[in-house]
Amino acid sequence: LSQGFDLNSFSGDWMVQARHQQNLLLANNKTTLQILPRVESRMQLELLPNLLLHFDQQTTRFDRKIGVDGGRIDLHPYVEIPWQLAGGGLSANMQVGAHHTRYWLQQTNLTNNKPTRSTFEANLELRSDFERISDSRSWRHLISPIIRYDYIDAPDQSALPNFDSGFGGLNWSNLLSGNRFIGNDRIERSNRATLVLESRLQHKPDIDQAARDLLILRAGASYDRQRNSV
């Protein structure tokens, strides 16, 4: 169940879900993790045209008969500062925020059944677009260099439970992202600079139609002082 809303300068969405999973390779579902339930919301407040305040949260009740279970709440407030040069061609986006995660674990034999984690994060992305449009205005070639810097000060998380996080290898979906983990139980510690060069060939058969991407070429590299060059 989900809903989105937009009230002038205040917008966002919320969602409530439950998930019951079965593993057909096991004799029973006692060790299979269930989500009963999850409440998630994202809110955005436009303080100024170039200043946005965000607050995201996710609260989940994890349940299973055998293994670690309990609850988790993840709070993610951050400030976003978008900027674009008059006339286009150069844009920037800076975000500064924090993650705070708290667990309530059910097992009584745990030394710490209420662990927490707090992180600080900041990123800056610069993009410049160089375009050439045909005389008929039906063809457009766009070359865009993108530079991004990510800094995430994340603590050691080896003692925390891991309900839904997995590490993804470097690919186009997470190259321009400071955190390559999916899920909320793990956050990557980053001090990374990324450079991407993108080329797009677009065609618009009619002036009233939207342009279509016919060919996209990308090349990128990332260097993280916390890890190795990739």
Side-chain angles (χ1 to χ4, degrees):
L1 180 67
S2 64
Q3 182 186 40
F5 57 90
D6 190 353
L7 304 173
N8 296 325
S9 60
F10 183 63
S11 61
D13 60 80
W14 59 267
M15 177 185 68
V16 179
Q17 70 169 186
R19 179 182 298 172
H20 180 77
Q21 304 176 112
Q22 291 182 312
N23 188 339
L24 301 182
L25 298 179
L26 302 179
N28 55 59
N29 297 316
K30 291 184 178 181
T31 61
T32 304
L33 196 66
Q34 315 298 341
I35 297 176
L36 300 170
R38 169 172 289 170
V39 180
E40 186 173 345
S41 63
R42 289 177 292 270
M43 292 178 286
Q44 173 183 299
L45 176 62
E46 183 178 348
L47 301 176
L48 296 170
N50 290 329
L51 182 60
L52 305 175
L53 178 62
H54 297 263
F55 184 79
D56 302 343
Q57 73 83 30
Q58 186 189 94
T59 303
T60 307
R61 170 70 173 93
F62 296 100
D63 180 70
R64 58 184 165 190
K65 301 299 182 182
I66 300 177
V68 178
D69 66 350
R72 181 193 70 200
I73 180 170
D74 182 75
L75 307 177
H76 183 206
Y78 65 97
V79 175
E80 179 182 4
I81 305 176
W83 175 84
Q84 185 173 7
L85 185 67
L90 179 64
S91 60
N93 189 287
M94 183 174 68
Q95 296 181 4
V96 178
H99 265 280
H100 180 73
T101 308
R102 179 177 291 271
Y103 295 88
W104 290 269
L105 306 179
Q106 299 299 318
Q107 279 68 13
T108 57
N109 59 345
L110 296 175
T111 57
N112 183 12
N113 62 354
K114 294 181 180 180
T116 61
R117 176 197 62 193
S118 296
T119 68
F120 170 79
E121 60 186 25
N123 64 74
L124 174 63
E125 184 173 315
L126 301 173
R127 179 187 180 108
S128 183
D129 295 328
F130 300 90
E131 66 178 10
R132 184 174 180 86
I133 301 176
S134 66
D135 295 336
S136 62
R137 308 193 68 81
S138 59
W139 293 89
R140 181 189 187 214
H141 182 214
L142 186 69
I143 296 179
S144 304
I146 305 170
I147 301 175
R148 181 181 171 103
Y149 173 73
D150 287 278
Y151 177 80
I152 302 178
D153 184 17
D156 181 15
Q157 302 159 73
S158 58
L160 296 178
N162 189 353
F163 293 118
D164 60 3
S165 283
F167 186 73
L170 193 65
N171 54 53
W172 287 115
S173 65
N174 61 24
L175 181 61
L176 294 173
S177 173
N179 180 27
R180 287 179 285 175
F181 280 98
I182 59 173
N184 289 339
D185 289 313
R186 295 292 183 269
I187 295 179
E188 184 179 4
R189 185 179 178 91
S190 299
N191 187 3
R192 182 162 59 244
T194 305
L195 174 63
V196 173
L197 185 63
E198 181 181 86
S199 176
R200 288 177 179 265
L201 179 62
Q202 298 178 326
H203 178 59
K204 183 165 63 172
D206 188 80
I207 192 173
D208 296 328
Q209 296 181 355
R212 295 185 303 167
D213 290 320
L214 299 182
L215 179 64
I216 301 176
L217 298 176
R218 294 191 185 101
S222 180
Y223 177 75
D224 195 333
R225 297 184 61 184
Q226 300 289 344
R227 304 176 66 86
N228 295 322
S229 179
V230 182

